Amino acid sequence: QLKELCKIHKWSSQYFHRFFYRVIHNHPEYLKALTNRAQLAKISTGMLAMVDKYPDTEHKKRFLADYYDLEFLRVGISTMRGIDLNITNREFTEFCDNYMRKLFDICTEEVERESKAKVPNTDTFAILAAGGHARGKAYDDDYDLIAVVDTDDEEVIQYATRIVSKMNREILKRGVLPHYRMG
C-alpha cells in the first residue's frame, strides 16, 4: 500500500497533489482505500447520497465538495494506472455532471432561502456545458458554461445571475476556473 501511495505521489502533478491532500486531510481513513478503485467508487457514491441528507446548504456543499475531490482522485489514480481513456473520459464527465447538477440545486435552494420576495418562475433558466466538458474530455482545467434565460423579466435574470454567482464560488474552491456567458 505504501509503495502504491509513493508511486501516486511521485508520478502526479502539484495540481493532483492538492486533491490528494484535501481528501486525506478531511478523511484520513480513505488512505486504506486509495489503491482500491471499487472501494473508492463505493465511498464517493455514498458521499453523493449524503448531500441530500442535510437540511442546510453549507453541509450539502461540504459533502458535495468532498465527493468532487474524491472522484477526481479516484479517476486520476485510475488514469495513472493506465485505464482506458474512454473509461476515464466517461467517468470524469459523469462525476462532473453529478457535481454540477447537485451544485445547481444547492445554489438555487440557497438563493430561494435568502430571497425575501416571491421566487420567480425559473422554468426559463438553464445552464449548459460547452468546451471540453461538453465533448466528454477529462481533466479540463475550466468549465465553460452557458447560462440561458428565456425571458426579458429582469427579476428572473437577477435570480439566475445570483445562482450562477454562487456556483462560481464553489467551483473555484475545487481549483477549477468557471467561465460562463449569460444570455
Side-chain angles (χ1 to χ4, degrees):
Q1 184 82 345
L2 182 59
K3 193 187 280 188
E4 287 296 316
L5 291 173
C6 288
K7 283 182 193 176
I8 290 168
H9 188 73
K10 181 180 179 182
W11 297 109
S12 60
S13 67
Q14 199 63 34
Y15 181 74
F16 189 79
H17 288 176
R18 283 189 301 192
F19 287 92
F20 183 85
Y21 294 138
R22 270 198 310 240
V23 168
I24 299 312
H25 181 265
N26 293 331
H27 302 281
E29 67 275 16
Y30 295 168
L31 268 172
K32 295 176 186 171
L34 283 181
T35 58
N36 184 337
R37 213 174 116 67
Q39 183 66 23
L40 284 180
K42 187 176 178 181
I43 292 168
S44 67
T45 299
M47 202 174 282
L48 184 60
M50 291 297 293
V51 171
D52 294 327
K53 300 274 186 210
Y54 289 93
D56 66 292
T57 55
E58 288 309 310
H59 275 95
K60 289 180 180 187
K61 285 191 277 189
R62 192 177 79 230
F63 272 97
L64 187 60
D66 286 350
Y67 164 78
Y68 184 94
D69 291 347
L70 185 58
E71 278 292 277
F72 188 96
L73 193 62
R74 181 184 70 81
V75 173
I77 290 169
S78 297
T79 302
M80 284 188 273
R81 289 190 169 165
I83 195 166
D84 183 76
L85 183 60
N86 292 318
I87 294 171
T88 298
N89 284 335
R90 181 179 44 79
E91 289 182 354
F92 193 91
T93 301
E94 184 178 300
F95 91 74
C96 288
D97 286 347
N98 290 339
Y99 174 76
M100 294 300 285
R101 271 194 286 285
K102 287 285 187 190
L103 184 60
F104 176 81
D105 292 344
I106 292 167
C107 292
T108 299
E109 179 183 333
E110 198 169 36
V111 169
E112 286 174 357
R113 284 189 180 164
E114 292 171 354
S115 185
K116 305 277 190 253
K118 184 179 181 285
V119 176
N121 181 354
T122 56
D123 289 345
T124 60
F125 175 49
I127 296 180
L128 310 169
H133 180 71
R135 290 188 303 275
K137 301 295 182 194
Y139 304 116
D140 268 357
D141 58 352
D142 66 356
Y143 281 131
D144 298 308
L145 304 172
I146 301 169
V148 179
V149 182
D150 189 24
T151 183
D152 291 334
D153 185 341
E154 193 60 37
E155 186 179 5
V156 173
I157 294 169
Q158 288 176 354
Y159 186 75
T161 301
R162 287 175 57 204
I163 292 169
V164 171
S165 175
K166 287 183 177 294
M167 289 179 70
N168 279 350
R169 269 187 238 125
E170 296 305 313
I171 293 168
L172 280 169
K173 290 177 187 177
R174 305 286 41 91
V176 179
L177 296 173
H179 302 282
Y180 77 95
R181 296 289 179 264
M182 187 77 116

